[in-house]
Amino acid sequence: MTFRTNVWMEAELALAAYASLAGGVATNSQIDALQEAGMSRAQAEEFARRYPTVVC
């Protein structure tokens, strides 16, 4: 993984920290929360795919 990719992934995690995510909530609701925090729909879906433990 390149430095640039690593920084990008850490920035996504930091942005996701602003989302109101809760356990036991449907993934679509979690994606909506990520969008409200500032992610695009595609970015939120990719984040959910990459970090299923966070968005579950």
Side-chain angles (χ1 to χ4, degrees):
M1 187 178 319
T2 66
F3 175 76
R4 190 176 300 198
T5 302
N6 193 30
V7 170
W8 175 260
M9 292 175 71
E10 289 177 9
E12 280 187 324
L13 285 169
L15 183 56
Y18 288 96
S20 297
L21 304 175
V25 178
T27 302
N28 284 337
S29 296
Q30 303 285 49
I31 289 172
D32 291 341
L34 289 167
Q35 285 184 271
E36 289 174 17
M39 288 188 182
S40 69
R41 181 78 182 178
Q43 186 178 13
E45 289 173 351
E46 177 62 22
F47 183 87
R49 187 195 63 74
R50 195 177 322 123
Y51 299 104
T53 305
V54 175
V55 183
C56 60

